Amino acid sequence: MALRIFKFIAKLVLWFVIISLALVIVFRFVPVTYTATMLMDEHSVTRDWEPLSRIDRNMVSAVIAAEDGKFCQHDGFDREAIEEALEERARGERQRGASTISQQTAKNVFLWQGGGWFRKGLEAYFTFLIENLWDKRRIMEVYLNVAETGLGSYGVESGAQRYFGHSAARLSADEASRIAAVLPSPKTREAVNPGGFTARYGNTIEARIGVVRRDGLDTCVYE
């Protein structure tokens, strides 16, 4: 009996690895048109896939400034940020975000929203796969096309049209920064006439865009 269970689990794991590898390889080349988050969204979903060549560089610089300043340096995991988050948890303090753009892409494309160690483990697995089977440009391209940018809006093209009435191909630094400021909480923040924290956060991101360009923190996307 125990041997049967072991064989069943082994087969299950093997098929999971085969299917997950196949999906990661396919999405290296094929647009991600739907995700679990989109399917579970109670609102009418708007999504517009755009290649990175038609997304303004300001948007790339803005999400790196806001979400992951080490995007071009790490292998998918910001270990320093993870250690700091664990220390904050041990002290009972509010934890800062430690997820990289690679981790968020893995979660958004292959998994579901929400916490839990099981999902976190799968997120780490898929992060490892995309970091090794995709390049940084593809990770950024997919991230910018599947990230939720508002109620029922997915991708920065959809967000640009929603908030500013024009394509993501010509986002100003201010517009890109406001979209980036919305990403951590797209259901409760607005990029148009933002108030309070969102406005201040957007201004901070816009100022950091200059640092991203000066220090070449987005060069891996354009090499």
Side-chain angles (χ1 to χ4, degrees):
M1 185 67 174
L3 183 59
R4 277 188 191 176
I5 294 173
F6 175 79
K7 286 182 177 180
F8 174 76
I9 293 173
K11 286 182 180 178
L12 201 62
V13 171
L14 179 61
W15 276 110
F16 171 75
V17 171
I18 291 171
I19 292 169
S20 60
L21 278 170
L23 283 173
V24 171
I25 291 169
V26 167
F27 288 142
R28 170 67 178 83
F29 306 99
V30 176
V32 181
T33 55
Y34 254 107
T35 66
T37 303
M38 295 177 195
L39 290 170
M40 295 171 68
D41 198 317
E42 60 186 13
H43 303 92
S44 178
V45 170
T46 302
R47 67 202 189 287
D48 297 289
W49 180 277
E50 288 290 344
L52 198 61
S53 59
R54 293 210 293 266
I55 296 175
D56 198 288
R57 187 166 184 167
N58 281 324
M59 193 68 247
V60 173
S61 299
V63 295
I64 288 176
E67 302 285 320
D68 188 1
K70 299 177 183 176
F71 178 68
C72 286
Q73 285 77 49
H74 64 59
D75 60 357
F77 305 95
D78 186 342
R79 289 166 179 78
E80 184 178 347
I82 292 171
E83 288 174 4
E84 289 175 356
L86 290 173
E87 289 173 2
E88 288 174 359
R89 171 177 286 188
R91 294 194 299 267
E93 299 175 359
R94 184 175 179 177
Q95 298 164 50
R96 70 190 73 190
S99 290
T100 63
I101 286 174
S102 301
Q103 288 175 274
Q104 292 177 55
T105 304
K107 177 186 69 176
N108 289 340
V109 174
F110 301 104
L111 302 170
W112 59 92
Q113 303 300 312
W117 289 109
F118 178 68
R119 201 227 66 199
K120 282 288 186 183
L122 290 176
E123 179 185 299
Y125 168 73
F126 279 107
T127 300
F128 173 80
L129 290 185
I130 65 174
E131 277 282 340
N132 285 276
L133 296 175
W134 300 0
D135 56 23
K136 290 288 189 177
R137 182 177 177 86
R138 180 60 175 176
I139 293 172
M140 179 61 71
E141 181 175 60
V142 174
Y143 174 72
L144 292 178
N145 275 286
V146 300
E148 189 176 4
T149 51
L151 287 173
S153 295
Y154 292 86
V156 296
E157 174 64 22
S158 177
Q161 296 288 353
R162 174 192 182 117
Y163 295 121
F164 308 117
H166 61 73
S167 168
R170 56 186 185 89
L171 286 167
S172 68
D174 175 62
E175 291 168 339
S177 297
R178 284 194 270 166
I179 291 177
V182 165
L183 292 179
S185 186
K187 289 181 170 59
T188 59
R189 298 180 186 177
E190 282 286 332
V192 177
N193 298 319
F197 172 80
T198 306
R200 293 192 299 274
Y201 186 37
N203 291 336
T204 299
I205 294 169
E206 186 174 2
R208 289 177 182 167
I209 286 177
V211 177
V212 171
R213 296 287 178 81
R214 184 197 69 201
D215 294 347
L217 302 182
D218 61 353
T219 52
C220 64
V221 179
Y222 296 98
E223 288 177 342

